[in-house]
Amino acid sequence: QNFRTNRTMIHKTLNFILLYVSICTALDTIQEFHRQHPDKSRWHWGDPYNGIPVMLGTLFPNQNPIEFSAGCFQNYTATFSGDSNGGTLTLTAQNAANFYCTDLLLILDMQTWYAKEIYMHGTYNEQVSWKTGEWDAVLQNGFQIFEIRSGIMGELVDLYEFYSLMTAESDPEYVMQFLTKHSNWDFTPRSQGFINLNHSEVMSGDYIAVMELDGDSLLITYGTGSKTDHVAMALWIDSELYVIESCTKGVRRTPWDDWMDNRPDWSMIGLLRLRPDLLKKFNSTAAYEHFIQLEGNEYGWQNFVYGWIDTPSLNFPPPLLSQNVPIALALVEQMKPDIANLKPGDTLEMKGPIPKIRYT
């Protein structure tokens, strides 16, 4: 018996190693292709948009079955029967689109997720046991059922594309492709490029709108619907022109020329002047006095989430849904609790005297 147990563990370990090597090889192949063929659009290989699971429905315990369709099987029925000790999740799949297709379903609650690959019609059962507090959460929120439409390997490619897009590996052309395709942006080339303004043409109170075509920029513009990812203001201080802003290094002032010299080549910068009536009311002295009270403060990551979530509904660009948020926060907290509390947790605590938040 010990021999059989050890042999089973060895087989599982070898299978895991082979899977890991296969994934790494696939990702390296994609990365090498992009490196050797920079002129080829990444959309031919993967689209990070496709990697977002599509919600199919919400299933509550001991209630009527729910019905939905997916890419392969056109008729699904889902039920859950159980109590505080556990239960059985039942999926019935019928009417496949063709003989070769499969569906990859993701079933989640606030603490656990189940991946089910459906490749034949029939009934599938999943035995469920609870973690502490999980039953109460399922009673309140149910199970959410999603479809990963690109499949396992397609999801790996899409996740790689998403990683590339949101990190330093992203390039301006790729960001523009994404925004053109998914946000209906129109990037019209300008006949005249960078205009080097004379200092005398810049006034205190001038609004500086910035769009830098990188991963951070995309995350901001796609989520907020804005066409800028950063704003700043011009301010004359002691006869010297500065750009004042809040950035990752905190609230700061930077001489105008230094600030311009540090802009990436693909930056789009707009200078907007106040309306004449408002320009007359602008008090440079009061603006400077307010600035020096804030200078050196942290960027304010805690409030960053409200760039995305700022209305009662319709906060997210499709296919993202508000139902994704509790699940996403719960999963992030399990994997990276420091990140979960840095963003929404600290933000909500700033709104009132509430205890330290946990999402599970």
Side-chain angles (χ1 to χ4, degrees):
Q1 184 176 2
N2 289 336
F3 175 75
R4 287 199 203 96
T5 302
N6 292 337
R7 185 172 63 180
T8 301
M9 300 228 4
I10 291 172
H11 285 171
K12 288 183 178 180
T13 303
L14 288 175
N15 288 335
F16 175 79
I17 293 173
L18 287 173
L19 177 62
Y20 176 79
V21 171
S22 298
I23 293 172
C24 292
T25 302
L27 296 182
D28 287 343
T29 301
I30 297 167
Q31 191 173 27
E32 184 63 25
F33 175 85
H34 294 325
R35 189 180 296 114
Q36 294 182 8
H37 303 277
D39 57 319
K40 300 292 185 182
S41 170
R42 297 187 183 211
W43 306 110
H44 297 156
W45 280 81
D47 185 342
Y49 206 76
N50 295 336
I52 300 172
V54 177
M55 186 172 180
L56 301 177
T58 301
L59 175 64
F60 287 91
N62 305 318
Q63 296 191 14
N64 293 331
I66 65 168
E67 297 179 348
F68 55 88
S69 62
C72 178
F73 291 91
Q74 304 305 297
N75 299 103
Y76 276 96
T77 302
T79 60
F80 181 82
S81 301
D83 53 27
S84 58
N85 297 314
T88 303
L89 178 68
T90 302
L91 286 171
T92 302
Q94 300 291 338
N95 299 328
N98 58 65
F99 183 75
Y100 303 100
C101 67
T102 63
D103 288 326
L104 181 59
L105 303 183
L106 198 59
I107 305 167
L108 310 97
D109 61 35
M110 291 293 185
Q111 297 193 43
T112 308
W113 60 272
Y114 308 89
K116 300 289 288 185
E117 186 169 16
I118 311 297
Y119 52 89
M120 293 182 62
H121 67 83
T123 300
Y124 297 78
N125 293 315
E126 182 75 37
Q127 298 301 315
V128 176
S129 59
W130 308 120
K131 298 177 182 177
T132 303
E134 188 173 1
W135 168 244
D136 292 334
V138 171
L139 283 176
Q140 181 176 357
N141 302 296
F143 292 98
Q144 294 184 12
I145 303 175
F146 296 86
E147 179 186 8
I148 300 178
R149 293 193 168 174
S150 52
I152 295 177
M153 287 306 300
E155 182 71 6
L156 291 174
V157 174
D158 295 335
L159 289 174
Y160 171 79
E161 294 295 329
F162 180 80
Y163 169 79
S164 299
L165 190 61
M166 296 301 173
T167 63
E169 292 187 30
S170 63
D171 59 78
E173 290 294 331
Y174 191 20
V175 173
M176 286 192 289
Q177 284 181 3
F178 184 94
L179 291 174
T180 298
K181 183 174 182 179
H182 299 301
S183 297
N184 297 318
W185 277 38
D186 182 17
F187 290 91
T188 304
R190 297 179 181 179
S191 57
Q192 188 175 9
F194 178 73
I195 301 173
N196 190 13
L197 294 176
N198 189 289
H199 287 198
S200 61
E201 299 178 84
V202 183
M203 302 180 65
S204 287
D206 282 354
Y207 175 89
I208 303 170
V210 181
M211 173 65 177
E212 294 183 355
L213 298 171
D214 56 21
D216 291 340
S217 171
L218 176 62
L219 190 62
I220 295 170
T221 54
Y222 179 60
T224 64
S226 171
K227 291 194 174 182
T228 59
D229 66 82
H230 182 61
V231 296
M233 189 181 79
L235 188 65
W236 284 90
I237 302 174
D238 296 331
S239 300
E240 186 171 355
L241 181 60
Y242 286 89
V243 174
I244 60 174
E245 61 186 338
S246 180
C247 61
T248 55
K249 296 181 179 180
V251 179
R252 67 175 185 176
R253 67 177 101 177
T254 307
W256 176 275
D257 290 336
D258 293 345
W259 190 85
M260 285 292 180
D261 289 341
N262 288 325
R263 296 303 95 196
D265 293 337
W266 54 84
S267 293
M268 295 186 291
I269 304 170
L271 187 70
L272 292 81
R273 181 137 302 157
L274 295 173
R275 281 198 330 251
D277 58 321
L278 296 178
L279 187 59
K280 290 180 180 178
K281 297 178 182 180
F282 185 80
N283 187 328
S284 298
T285 302
Y288 173 68
E289 291 175 350
H290 182 68
F291 166 73
I292 59 177
Q293 294 178 9
L294 302 175
E295 189 174 18
N297 284 1
E298 294 182 358
Y299 175 60
W301 289 105
Q302 293 88 343
N303 208 46
F304 194 81
V305 68
Y306 288 108
W308 277 57
I309 306 173
D310 56 356
T311 63
S313 61
L314 303 178
N315 285 295
F316 305 102
L320 297 178
L321 301 170
S322 59
Q323 293 93 329
N324 300 141
V325 175
I327 295 294
L329 291 179
L331 293 176
V332 169
E333 190 195 39
Q334 290 180 40
M335 295 182 291
K336 291 286 185 180
D338 53 333
I339 294 178
N341 282 320
L342 173 64
K343 301 294 188 300
D346 290 351
T347 303
L348 292 174
E349 288 168 2
M350 292 171 66
K351 303 298 179 181
I354 58 178
K356 198 71 175 177
I357 296 173
R358 292 187 59 82
Y359 304 104
T360 57

